[in-house]
Amino acid sequence: VLGCGVVGEAAVQDLYEYGPFEDLVVATRNVVRAREVLGRLAGRPIRVSAEEVDVHDEAAVAGLMHGCAVAVNCVGPNHEYALRVARAAIRAKVSLVDVNDDYETAFEMFSLDSRARAAGIVIVPGLGVSPGIANVVARAAADTLDAVDEIHISRVMSAADPGGPAFSKHLLHSLSGRALTMRDGRLVEVRSLVDGWERVEFPEPVGILDVFHAGHPAPITLLRSFPGLRHASHKGSFTPAWLNDVIVSLGQLVREAPAAVLVRGRSTDPMDFAAAYLQRRCRSLSGPSRSSALRIDVHGRRRGKRRRVIFATAGRLAPSAGVAASVGAAMLAEGQVRGSGIVCPETAIDAHDFLYEIFTRRDVAKLDDWTEDEPEPVAADS
Ligand SMILES: NC(=O)c1ccc[n+]([C@@H]2O[C@H](COP(=O)([O-])OP(=O)(O)OC[C@H]3O[C@@H](n4cnc5c(N)ncnc54)[C@H](OP(=O)(O)O)[C@@H]3O)[C@@H](O)[C@H]2O)c1
């Protein structure tokens, strides 16, 4: 496991508790924290160890991966590291799961497909919550229909459950500028957390909230995974909602800032400063619920009639990204992931088995699903 922050720690705990592995190696920059996390594990006959590594050093990462059954990348931010780690996995010929949530990186990841195939490995990028669980849920919903034409993912994140510093960097980098959404079979550009307003009902305690397009990989991978799909979107919001505006304006400031700014006389990376500020603002909030929520609406046809299948869940979802990556790693090591090269969670992973592991065996949250009839579209000349 690379990285031992909020997501990495959850992955390590889950792999230790449920994984089929005899050896668990956690490699990260801050090895002291990794040792603390490993020190809290007890009760299973699994060898655990911590290694210090900087993932800028691809050769060192490949060296650590060499001989492993599978690697799990929880280092972030992904726009900085996901491709480096994927290249290291190809070099080491070791299959990999990551939690990449950056859409530009998702595009670039597919360019490694032929190299990953030549190395005889499988790389499953974006196996966290969203992307990740959301994509597999979309597959589960689509499997109940004869044909699918629209998939819409909506996500609400609680500021009281803000993830680690790398997650804040992701928000400022990926959710504060342009985003892509899929309309009429094509990807079109929109403004993240500004365009696409919609009011969505999530399970309690989150309830009804406004969401907006968000810069996420889902439309890119869903377009590849569901031939015939006409519309796909990923929308998001934060509670409290003013955080949307903070992310948009702070992210824009970071993009426009010089390479370094002076903070109390010290030269500081603007992204480090802004991410630390965002973390502090989120962590100082008292009151908001720690519950986040996820809702997936899949529209299509069953037995000739228009139907909409909805799956929705609410709970403390941020650490579940590590749980999803752990489940994916176990499935990968046991040969239960289809395909080779770079594969999408929604095509490579058996949705039933994966969701059983997440929502039943681990019981990370309650997953509700229901189906609604939809009106037939009105012909243009009627
Ligand atoms: N797909 C999803 O649904 C989903 C959900 C949540 C998060 N994520 C993504 O997952 C990533 C991790 O999030 P998080 O909340 O766990 O962040 P985090 O707590 O900041 O953890 C990041 C980890 O990466 C390590 N790291 C950073 N740079 C490194 C380097 N050069 N070499 C080695 N290790 C390095 C950090 O080590 P130090 O402790 O030394 O800094 C830390 O252990 C983020 O990119 C986030 O966007 C995805």
Side-chain angles (χ1 to χ4, degrees), residues 239-288:
T239 50
W242 54 255
L243 203 55
N244 296 336
D245 299 333
V246 172
I247 289 167
V248 170
S249 26
L250 205 51
Q252 187 178 347
L253 280 175
V254 171
R255 274 195 299 281
E256 290 167 359
V261 290
L262 278 182
V263 179
R264 294 202 183 122
R266 281 177 48 199
S267 174
T268 306
D269 177 70
M271 177 57 99
D272 285 345
F273 180 77
Y277 169 80
L278 189 60
Q279 286 271 304
R280 208 174 65 179
R281 265 200 92 175
C282 289
R283 291 186 191 283
S284 68
L285 286 172
S286 59

mmCIF file of all heavy atoms in Angstrom, residues 239-288:
data_model
loop_
_atom_site.group_PDB
_atom_site.id
_atom_site.type_symbol
_atom_site.label_atom_id
_atom_site.label_comp_id
_atom_site.label_asym_id
_atom_site.label_seq_id
_atom_site.Cartn_x
_atom_site.Cartn_y
_atom_site.Cartn_z
ATOM 1 N N THR A 239 -21.473 20.239 2.264
ATOM 2 C CA THR A 239 -22.241 20.823 3.371
ATOM 3 C C THR A 239 -21.219 21.342 4.371
ATOM 4 O O THR A 239 -20.338 20.575 4.749
ATOM 5 C CB THR A 239 -23.161 19.783 4.055
ATOM 6 O OG1 THR A 239 -22.399 18.627 4.354
ATOM 7 C CG2 THR A 239 -24.327 19.418 3.174
ATOM 8 N N PRO A 240 -21.287 22.590 4.789
ATOM 9 C CA PRO A 240 -22.201 23.628 4.340
ATOM 10 C C PRO A 240 -21.876 24.088 2.918
ATOM 11 O O PRO A 240 -20.724 24.008 2.481
ATOM 12 C CB PRO A 240 -21.977 24.761 5.351
ATOM 13 C CG PRO A 240 -20.613 24.533 5.909
ATOM 14 C CD PRO A 240 -20.354 23.075 5.852
ATOM 15 N N ALA A 241 -22.910 24.620 2.221
ATOM 16 C CA ALA A 241 -22.794 24.909 0.791
ATOM 17 C C ALA A 241 -21.805 26.030 0.465
ATOM 18 O O ALA A 241 -21.290 26.089 -0.645
ATOM 19 C CB ALA A 241 -24.177 25.248 0.226
ATOM 20 N N TRP A 242 -21.529 26.931 1.440
ATOM 21 C CA TRP A 242 -20.579 28.016 1.131
ATOM 22 C C TRP A 242 -19.195 27.477 0.783
ATOM 23 O O TRP A 242 -18.373 28.153 0.182
ATOM 24 C CB TRP A 242 -20.507 29.061 2.253
ATOM 25 C CG TRP A 242 -20.218 28.538 3.634
ATOM 26 C CD1 TRP A 242 -21.116 28.402 4.646
ATOM 27 C CD2 TRP A 242 -18.960 28.100 4.170
ATOM 28 N NE1 TRP A 242 -20.511 27.898 5.772
ATOM 29 C CE2 TRP A 242 -19.179 27.710 5.507
ATOM 30 C CE3 TRP A 242 -17.680 27.993 3.667
ATOM 31 C CZ2 TRP A 242 -18.175 27.219 6.332
ATOM 32 C CZ3 TRP A 242 -16.659 27.503 4.489
ATOM 33 C CH2 TRP A 242 -16.916 27.126 5.799
ATOM 34 N N LEU A 243 -18.939 26.219 1.165
ATOM 35 C CA LEU A 243 -17.629 25.628 0.857
ATOM 36 C C LEU A 243 -17.419 25.502 -0.654
ATOM 37 O O LEU A 243 -16.280 25.582 -1.137
ATOM 38 C CB LEU A 243 -17.535 24.261 1.538
ATOM 39 C CG LEU A 243 -16.136 23.740 1.815
ATOM 40 C CD1 LEU A 243 -15.312 24.724 2.617
ATOM 41 C CD2 LEU A 243 -16.216 22.403 2.523
ATOM 42 N N ASN A 244 -18.522 25.335 -1.408
ATOM 43 C CA ASN A 244 -18.393 25.287 -2.883
ATOM 44 C C ASN A 244 -17.696 26.548 -3.382
ATOM 45 O O ASN A 244 -16.768 26.482 -4.195
ATOM 46 C CB ASN A 244 -19.773 25.204 -3.543
ATOM 47 C CG ASN A 244 -20.510 23.925 -3.198
ATOM 48 O OD1 ASN A 244 -19.891 22.930 -2.862
ATOM 49 N ND2 ASN A 244 -21.815 23.962 -3.270
ATOM 50 N N ASP A 245 -18.162 27.721 -2.900
ATOM 51 C CA ASP A 245 -17.596 28.995 -3.369
ATOM 52 C C ASP A 245 -16.148 29.143 -2.908
ATOM 53 O O ASP A 245 -15.304 29.662 -3.636
ATOM 54 C CB ASP A 245 -18.429 30.177 -2.832
ATOM 55 C CG ASP A 245 -19.856 30.113 -3.336
ATOM 56 O OD1 ASP A 245 -20.067 29.530 -4.420
ATOM 57 O OD2 ASP A 245 -20.756 30.616 -2.639
ATOM 58 N N VAL A 246 -15.867 28.698 -1.670
ATOM 59 C CA VAL A 246 -14.485 28.789 -1.164
ATOM 60 C C VAL A 246 -13.558 27.978 -2.073
ATOM 61 O O VAL A 246 -12.482 28.438 -2.468
ATOM 62 C CB VAL A 246 -14.403 28.281 0.301
ATOM 63 C CG1 VAL A 246 -12.953 28.186 0.769
ATOM 64 C CG2 VAL A 246 -15.192 29.198 1.223
ATOM 65 N N ILE A 247 -13.992 26.765 -2.450
ATOM 66 C CA ILE A 247 -13.146 25.896 -3.293
ATOM 67 C C ILE A 247 -12.917 26.543 -4.657
ATOM 68 O O ILE A 247 -11.786 26.590 -5.154
ATOM 69 C CB ILE A 247 -13.783 24.497 -3.423
ATOM 70 C CG1 ILE A 247 -13.674 23.763 -2.090
ATOM 71 C CG2 ILE A 247 -13.128 23.688 -4.550
ATOM 72 C CD1 ILE A 247 -14.509 22.511 -1.982
ATOM 73 N N VAL A 248 -13.997 27.084 -5.245
ATOM 74 C CA VAL A 248 -13.862 27.688 -6.586
ATOM 75 C C VAL A 248 -12.921 28.886 -6.537
ATOM 76 O O VAL A 248 -11.989 29.004 -7.334
ATOM 77 C CB VAL A 248 -15.256 28.099 -7.130
ATOM 78 C CG1 VAL A 248 -15.128 28.937 -8.390
ATOM 79 C CG2 VAL A 248 -16.088 26.846 -7.423
ATOM 80 N N SER A 249 -13.109 29.793 -5.555
ATOM 81 C CA SER A 249 -12.262 30.993 -5.577
ATOM 82 C C SER A 249 -10.837 30.700 -5.117
ATOM 83 O O SER A 249 -9.879 31.228 -5.679
ATOM 84 C CB SER A 249 -12.884 32.158 -4.800
ATOM 85 O OG SER A 249 -13.741 31.712 -3.823
ATOM 86 N N LEU A 250 -10.687 29.823 -4.127
ATOM 87 C CA LEU A 250 -9.326 29.499 -3.658
ATOM 88 C C LEU A 250 -8.551 28.754 -4.749
ATOM 89 O O LEU A 250 -7.366 29.020 -4.979
ATOM 90 C CB LEU A 250 -9.453 28.628 -2.402
ATOM 91 C CG LEU A 250 -8.328 28.602 -1.392
ATOM 92 C CD1 LEU A 250 -7.910 29.998 -0.976
ATOM 93 C CD2 LEU A 250 -8.771 27.811 -0.152
ATOM 94 N N GLY A 251 -9.229 27.839 -5.446
ATOM 95 C CA GLY A 251 -8.564 27.095 -6.529
ATOM 96 C C GLY A 251 -8.110 28.018 -7.639
ATOM 97 O O GLY A 251 -7.006 27.881 -8.179
ATOM 98 N N GLN A 252 -8.973 29.014 -7.951
ATOM 99 C CA GLN A 252 -8.601 29.972 -9.001
ATOM 100 C C GLN A 252 -7.390 30.798 -8.557
ATOM 101 O O GLN A 252 -6.456 31.030 -9.332
ATOM 102 C CB GLN A 252 -9.786 30.881 -9.280
ATOM 103 C CG GLN A 252 -9.550 31.785 -10.470
ATOM 104 C CD GLN A 252 -10.764 32.658 -10.765
ATOM 105 O OE1 GLN A 252 -11.856 32.426 -10.245
ATOM 106 N NE2 GLN A 252 -10.559 33.658 -11.585
ATOM 107 N N LEU A 253 -7.374 31.204 -7.282
ATOM 108 C CA LEU A 253 -6.227 31.970 -6.772
ATOM 109 C C LEU A 253 -4.941 31.156 -6.885
ATOM 110 O O LEU A 253 -3.892 31.672 -7.263
ATOM 111 C CB LEU A 253 -6.459 32.332 -5.294
ATOM 112 C CG LEU A 253 -7.372 33.523 -5.017
ATOM 113 C CD1 LEU A 253 -7.602 33.674 -3.525
ATOM 114 C CD2 LEU A 253 -6.753 34.802 -5.576
ATOM 115 N N VAL A 254 -5.021 29.862 -6.564
ATOM 116 C CA VAL A 254 -3.824 29.001 -6.643
ATOM 117 C C VAL A 254 -3.333 28.929 -8.087
ATOM 118 O O VAL A 254 -2.133 29.047 -8.357
ATOM 119 C CB VAL A 254 -4.125 27.581 -6.100
ATOM 120 C CG1 VAL A 254 -2.967 26.627 -6.375
ATOM 121 C CG2 VAL A 254 -4.420 27.624 -4.612
ATOM 122 N N ARG A 255 -4.287 28.771 -9.037
ATOM 123 C CA ARG A 255 -3.879 28.670 -10.451
ATOM 124 C C ARG A 255 -3.202 29.945 -10.933
ATOM 125 O O ARG A 255 -2.290 29.916 -11.739
ATOM 126 C CB ARG A 255 -5.098 28.371 -11.340
ATOM 127 C CG ARG A 255 -5.413 26.906 -11.454
ATOM 128 C CD ARG A 255 -6.363 26.631 -12.602
ATOM 129 N NE ARG A 255 -7.632 27.308 -12.443
ATOM 130 C CZ ARG A 255 -8.611 26.894 -11.650
ATOM 131 N NH1 ARG A 255 -8.459 25.792 -10.953
ATOM 132 N NH2 ARG A 255 -9.741 27.561 -11.557
ATOM 133 N N GLU A 256 -3.655 31.096 -10.396
ATOM 134 C CA GLU A 256 -3.115 32.375 -10.871
ATOM 135 C C GLU A 256 -1.895 32.822 -10.080
ATOM 136 O O GLU A 256 -1.252 33.811 -10.437
ATOM 137 C CB GLU A 256 -4.214 33.450 -10.786
ATOM 138 C CG GLU A 256 -5.316 33.211 -11.813
ATOM 139 C CD GLU A 256 -6.548 34.065 -11.553
ATOM 140 O OE1 GLU A 256 -6.549 34.824 -10.563
ATOM 141 O OE2 GLU A 256 -7.508 33.944 -12.349
ATOM 142 N N ALA A 257 -1.580 32.105 -8.984
ATOM 143 C CA ALA A 257 -0.484 32.542 -8.108
ATOM 144 C C ALA A 257 0.877 32.232 -8.732
ATOM 145 O O ALA A 257 0.990 31.328 -9.567
ATOM 146 C CB ALA A 257 -0.604 31.825 -6.758
ATOM 147 N N PRO A 258 1.904 32.964 -8.335
ATOM 148 C CA PRO A 258 3.260 32.609 -8.784
ATOM 149 C C PRO A 258 3.670 31.267 -8.181
ATOM 150 O O PRO A 258 2.975 30.719 -7.318
ATOM 151 C CB PRO A 258 4.118 33.747 -8.230
ATOM 152 C CG PRO A 258 3.320 34.349 -7.124
ATOM 153 C CD PRO A 258 1.874 34.117 -7.440
ATOM 154 N N ALA A 259 4.817 30.719 -8.624
ATOM 155 C CA ALA A 259 5.248 29.387 -8.180
ATOM 156 C C ALA A 259 5.414 29.317 -6.666
ATOM 157 O O ALA A 259 5.200 28.279 -6.053
ATOM 158 C CB ALA A 259 6.551 29.015 -8.874
ATOM 159 N N ALA A 260 5.804 30.452 -6.062
ATOM 160 C CA ALA A 260 5.962 30.464 -4.603
ATOM 161 C C ALA A 260 5.447 31.784 -4.054
ATOM 162 O O ALA A 260 5.546 32.816 -4.718
ATOM 163 C CB ALA A 260 7.428 30.270 -4.246
ATOM 164 N N VAL A 261 4.854 31.741 -2.862
ATOM 165 C CA VAL A 261 4.419 32.978 -2.207
ATOM 166 C C VAL A 261 5.135 33.068 -0.855
ATOM 167 O O VAL A 261 5.555 32.041 -0.294
ATOM 168 C CB VAL A 261 2.881 33.009 -1.994
ATOM 169 C CG1 VAL A 261 2.163 33.162 -3.314
ATOM 170 C CG2 VAL A 261 2.397 31.760 -1.258
ATOM 171 N N LEU A 262 5.269 34.295 -0.366
ATOM 172 C CA LEU A 262 5.929 34.462 0.935
ATOM 173 C C LEU A 262 4.882 34.404 2.037
ATOM 174 O O LEU A 262 3.912 35.168 2.027
ATOM 175 C CB LEU A 262 6.643 35.809 0.997
ATOM 176 C CG LEU A 262 8.040 35.876 0.356
ATOM 177 C CD1 LEU A 262 8.615 37.272 0.547
ATOM 178 C CD2 LEU A 262 8.977 34.828 0.947
ATOM 179 N N VAL A 263 5.029 33.474 2.970
ATOM 180 C CA VAL A 263 4.134 33.385 4.116
ATOM 181 C C VAL A 263 4.996 33.565 5.356
ATOM 182 O O VAL A 263 5.875 32.739 5.628
ATOM 183 C CB VAL A 263 3.391 32.029 4.162
ATOM 184 C CG1 VAL A 263 2.480 31.969 5.380
ATOM 185 C CG2 VAL A 263 2.586 31.808 2.889
ATOM 186 N N ARG A 264 4.756 34.643 6.082
ATOM 187 C CA ARG A 264 5.584 34.996 7.246
ATOM 188 C C ARG A 264 7.071 34.915 6.910
ATOM 189 O O ARG A 264 7.864 34.273 7.603
ATOM 190 C CB ARG A 264 5.280 34.092 8.436
ATOM 191 C CG ARG A 264 3.884 34.292 8.973
ATOM 192 C CD ARG A 264 3.756 33.823 10.402
ATOM 193 N NE ARG A 264 2.385 33.993 10.824
ATOM 194 C CZ ARG A 264 1.615 33.001 11.267
ATOM 195 N NH1 ARG A 264 2.075 31.799 11.365
ATOM 196 N NH2 ARG A 264 0.386 33.228 11.634
ATOM 197 N N GLY A 265 7.410 35.463 5.724
ATOM 198 C CA GLY A 265 8.815 35.545 5.326
ATOM 199 C C GLY A 265 9.382 34.266 4.741
ATOM 200 O O GLY A 265 10.544 34.224 4.334
ATOM 201 N N ARG A 266 8.553 33.201 4.692
ATOM 202 C CA ARG A 266 9.070 31.934 4.142
ATOM 203 C C ARG A 266 8.457 31.647 2.787
ATOM 204 O O ARG A 266 7.252 31.809 2.590
ATOM 205 C CB ARG A 266 8.760 30.768 5.096
ATOM 206 C CG ARG A 266 9.729 30.732 6.275
ATOM 207 C CD ARG A 266 9.386 29.635 7.239
ATOM 208 N NE ARG A 266 9.154 28.351 6.603
ATOM 209 C CZ ARG A 266 8.500 27.347 7.185
ATOM 210 N NH1 ARG A 266 8.002 27.507 8.381
ATOM 211 N NH2 ARG A 266 8.342 26.205 6.558
ATOM 212 N N SER A 267 9.286 31.184 1.846
ATOM 213 C CA SER A 267 8.797 30.860 0.513
ATOM 214 C C SER A 267 7.931 29.596 0.603
ATOM 215 O O SER A 267 8.366 28.560 1.109
ATOM 216 C CB SER A 267 10.005 30.621 -0.403
ATOM 217 O OG SER A 267 9.544 30.187 -1.644
ATOM 218 N N THR A 268 6.678 29.698 0.147
ATOM 219 C CA THR A 268 5.712 28.606 0.337
ATOM 220 C C THR A 268 4.995 28.311 -0.978
ATOM 221 O O THR A 268 4.652 29.229 -1.718
ATOM 222 C CB THR A 268 4.665 29.028 1.403
ATOM 223 O OG1 THR A 268 5.369 29.423 2.577
ATOM 224 C CG2 THR A 268 3.708 27.909 1.739
ATOM 225 N N ASP A 269 4.753 27.042 -1.243
ATOM 226 C CA ASP A 269 3.980 26.636 -2.419
ATOM 227 C C ASP A 269 2.516 27.074 -2.214
ATOM 228 O O ASP A 269 1.910 26.734 -1.184
ATOM 229 C CB ASP A 269 4.075 25.108 -2.555
ATOM 230 C CG ASP A 269 3.242 24.606 -3.716
ATOM 231 O OD1 ASP A 269 3.620 24.866 -4.851
ATOM 232 O OD2 ASP A 269 2.182 23.976 -3.460
ATOM 233 N N PRO A 270 1.940 27.841 -3.153
ATOM 234 C CA PRO A 270 0.568 28.342 -2.954
ATOM 235 C C PRO A 270 -0.438 27.214 -2.725
ATOM 236 O O PRO A 270 -1.375 27.365 -1.937
ATOM 237 C CB PRO A 270 0.258 29.080 -4.265
ATOM 238 C CG PRO A 270 1.556 29.310 -4.925
ATOM 239 C CD PRO A 270 2.520 28.278 -4.438
ATOM 240 N N MET A 271 -0.266 26.073 -3.404
ATOM 241 C CA MET A 271 -1.204 24.961 -3.221
ATOM 242 C C MET A 271 -1.099 24.400 -1.798
ATOM 243 O O MET A 271 -2.124 24.108 -1.163
ATOM 244 C CB MET A 271 -0.934 23.864 -4.261
ATOM 245 C CG MET A 271 -1.804 22.643 -4.112
ATOM 246 S SD MET A 271 -3.588 22.994 -4.175
ATOM 247 C CE MET A 271 -3.971 22.561 -5.859
ATOM 248 N N ASP A 272 0.147 24.255 -1.278
ATOM 249 C CA ASP A 272 0.311 23.766 0.100
ATOM 250 C C ASP A 272 -0.399 24.700 1.072
ATOM 251 O O ASP A 272 -1.099 24.253 1.991
ATOM 252 C CB ASP A 272 1.805 23.700 0.480
ATOM 253 C CG ASP A 272 2.516 22.524 -0.161
ATOM 254 O OD1 ASP A 272 1.822 21.611 -0.659
ATOM 255 O OD2 ASP A 272 3.761 22.519 -0.181
ATOM 256 N N PHE A 273 -0.208 26.011 0.841
ATOM 257 C CA PHE A 273 -0.803 27.009 1.741
ATOM 258 C C PHE A 273 -2.331 26.941 1.680
ATOM 259 O O PHE A 273 -3.010 26.885 2.708
ATOM 260 C CB PHE A 273 -0.309 28.406 1.361
ATOM 261 C CG PHE A 273 -0.865 29.480 2.233
ATOM 262 C CD1 PHE A 273 -0.365 29.686 3.516
ATOM 263 C CD2 PHE A 273 -1.914 30.276 1.788
ATOM 264 C CE1 PHE A 273 -0.902 30.674 4.342
ATOM 265 C CE2 PHE A 273 -2.458 31.257 2.611
ATOM 266 C CZ PHE A 273 -1.945 31.461 3.889
ATOM 267 N N ALA A 274 -2.871 26.916 0.439
ATOM 268 C CA ALA A 274 -4.332 26.928 0.273
ATOM 269 C C ALA A 274 -4.952 25.639 0.831
ATOM 270 O O ALA A 274 -6.013 25.673 1.463
ATOM 271 C CB ALA A 274 -4.676 27.094 -1.207
ATOM 272 N N ALA A 275 -4.299 24.504 0.610
ATOM 273 C CA ALA A 275 -4.839 23.227 1.106
ATOM 274 C C ALA A 275 -4.827 23.207 2.635
ATOM 275 O O ALA A 275 -5.791 22.742 3.265
ATOM 276 C CB ALA A 275 -4.033 22.055 0.539
ATOM 277 N N ALA A 276 -3.761 23.748 3.226
ATOM 278 C CA ALA A 276 -3.690 23.794 4.696
ATOM 279 C C ALA A 276 -4.793 24.703 5.239
ATOM 280 O O ALA A 276 -5.441 24.398 6.247
ATOM 281 C CB ALA A 276 -2.312 24.290 5.139
ATOM 282 N N TYR A 277 -5.046 25.828 4.537
ATOM 283 C CA TYR A 277 -6.104 26.760 4.941
ATOM 284 C C TYR A 277 -7.472 26.066 4.880
ATOM 285 O O TYR A 277 -8.285 26.144 5.808
ATOM 286 C CB TYR A 277 -6.073 27.993 4.037
ATOM 287 C CG TYR A 277 -7.264 28.893 4.187
ATOM 288 C CD1 TYR A 277 -7.346 29.798 5.244
ATOM 289 C CD2 TYR A 277 -8.321 28.825 3.277
ATOM 290 C CE1 TYR A 277 -8.467 30.613 5.389
ATOM 291 C CE2 TYR A 277 -9.439 29.638 3.415
ATOM 292 C CZ TYR A 277 -9.505 30.525 4.469
ATOM 293 O OH TYR A 277 -10.617 31.319 4.615
ATOM 294 N N LEU A 278 -7.703 25.326 3.762
ATOM 295 C CA LEU A 278 -8.989 24.640 3.583
ATOM 296 C C LEU A 278 -9.184 23.568 4.668
ATOM 297 O O LEU A 278 -10.269 23.437 5.242
ATOM 298 C CB LEU A 278 -9.029 23.994 2.189
ATOM 299 C CG LEU A 278 -10.357 23.419 1.724
ATOM 300 C CD1 LEU A 278 -11.441 24.487 1.679
ATOM 301 C CD2 LEU A 278 -10.203 22.792 0.323
ATOM 302 N N GLN A 279 -8.121 22.833 4.950
ATOM 303 C CA GLN A 279 -8.196 21.826 6.014
ATOM 304 C C GLN A 279 -8.559 22.477 7.342
ATOM 305 O O GLN A 279 -9.410 21.985 8.069
ATOM 306 C CB GLN A 279 -6.820 21.148 6.181
ATOM 307 C CG GLN A 279 -6.470 20.169 5.084
ATOM 308 C CD GLN A 279 -6.950 18.770 5.401
ATOM 309 O OE1 GLN A 279 -6.611 18.213 6.428
ATOM 310 N NE2 GLN A 279 -7.757 18.205 4.520
ATOM 311 N N ARG A 280 -7.895 23.612 7.647
ATOM 312 C CA ARG A 280 -8.127 24.251 8.936
ATOM 313 C C ARG A 280 -9.556 24.771 9.030
ATOM 314 O O ARG A 280 -10.222 24.623 10.049
ATOM 315 C CB ARG A 280 -7.120 25.388 9.152
ATOM 316 C CG ARG A 280 -6.846 25.610 10.632
ATOM 317 C CD ARG A 280 -5.790 26.601 10.872
ATOM 318 N NE ARG A 280 -6.204 27.921 10.415
ATOM 319 C CZ ARG A 280 -5.445 29.001 10.522
ATOM 320 N NH1 ARG A 280 -4.259 28.905 11.041
ATOM 321 N NH2 ARG A 280 -5.882 30.172 10.102
ATOM 322 N N ARG A 281 -10.051 25.347 7.925
ATOM 323 C CA ARG A 281 -11.435 25.864 7.955
ATOM 324 C C ARG A 281 -12.433 24.743 8.151
ATOM 325 O O ARG A 281 -13.390 24.864 8.903
ATOM 326 C CB ARG A 281 -11.756 26.603 6.662
ATOM 327 C CG ARG A 281 -11.501 28.068 6.865
ATOM 328 C CD ARG A 281 -12.186 28.952 5.906
ATOM 329 N NE ARG A 281 -13.500 29.464 6.295
ATOM 330 C CZ ARG A 281 -14.152 30.346 5.561
ATOM 331 N NH1 ARG A 281 -13.618 30.790 4.447
ATOM 332 N NH2 ARG A 281 -15.325 30.771 5.924
ATOM 333 N N CYS A 282 -12.193 23.615 7.465
ATOM 334 C CA CYS A 282 -13.137 22.488 7.599
ATOM 335 C C CYS A 282 -13.086 21.913 9.015
ATOM 336 O O CYS A 282 -14.114 21.648 9.622
ATOM 337 C CB CYS A 282 -12.805 21.388 6.595
ATOM 338 S SG CYS A 282 -13.191 21.857 4.907
ATOM 339 N N ARG A 283 -11.873 21.735 9.518
ATOM 340 C CA ARG A 283 -11.737 21.086 10.822
ATOM 341 C C ARG A 283 -12.207 21.982 11.962
ATOM 342 O O ARG A 283 -12.507 21.492 13.054
ATOM 343 C CB ARG A 283 -10.286 20.628 11.040
ATOM 344 C CG ARG A 283 -9.927 19.474 10.113
ATOM 345 C CD ARG A 283 -8.564 18.879 10.356
ATOM 346 N NE ARG A 283 -8.209 17.978 9.270
ATOM 347 C CZ ARG A 283 -8.685 16.747 9.116
ATOM 348 N NH1 ARG A 283 -9.519 16.265 10.001
ATOM 349 N NH2 ARG A 283 -8.315 16.014 8.087
ATOM 350 N N SER A 284 -12.236 23.315 11.731
ATOM 351 C CA SER A 284 -12.662 24.207 12.822
ATOM 352 C C SER A 284 -14.195 24.305 12.888
ATOM 353 O O SER A 284 -14.741 24.898 13.803
ATOM 354 C CB SER A 284 -12.075 25.605 12.615
ATOM 355 O OG SER A 284 -12.681 26.174 11.465
ATOM 356 N N LEU A 285 -14.890 23.729 11.892
ATOM 357 C CA LEU A 285 -16.350 23.827 11.891
ATOM 358 C C LEU A 285 -16.931 22.963 12.991
ATOM 359 O O LEU A 285 -16.527 21.813 13.157
ATOM 360 C CB LEU A 285 -16.913 23.318 10.567
ATOM 361 C CG LEU A 285 -16.744 24.217 9.352
ATOM 362 C CD1 LEU A 285 -17.171 23.468 8.110
ATOM 363 C CD2 LEU A 285 -17.586 25.463 9.532
ATOM 364 N N SER A 286 -17.872 23.523 13.737
ATOM 365 C CA SER A 286 -18.553 22.655 14.694
ATOM 366 C C SER A 286 -19.998 22.551 14.236
ATOM 367 O O SER A 286 -20.552 23.496 13.691
ATOM 368 C CB SER A 286 -18.461 23.234 16.101
ATOM 369 O OG SER A 286 -19.038 24.499 16.095
ATOM 370 N N GLY A 287 -20.566 21.429 14.403
ATOM 371 C CA GLY A 287 -21.987 21.301 14.088
ATOM 372 C C GLY A 287 -22.331 20.442 12.900
ATOM 373 O O GLY A 287 -23.167 19.555 13.036
ATOM 374 N N PRO A 288 -21.695 20.637 11.693
ATOM 375 C CA PRO A 288 -22.228 19.889 10.553
ATOM 376 C C PRO A 288 -22.087 18.384 10.730
ATOM 377 O O PRO A 288 -21.136 17.906 11.350
ATOM 378 C CB PRO A 288 -21.387 20.377 9.364
ATOM 379 C CG PRO A 288 -20.177 20.973 9.949
ATOM 380 C CD PRO A 288 -20.534 21.458 11.315
#
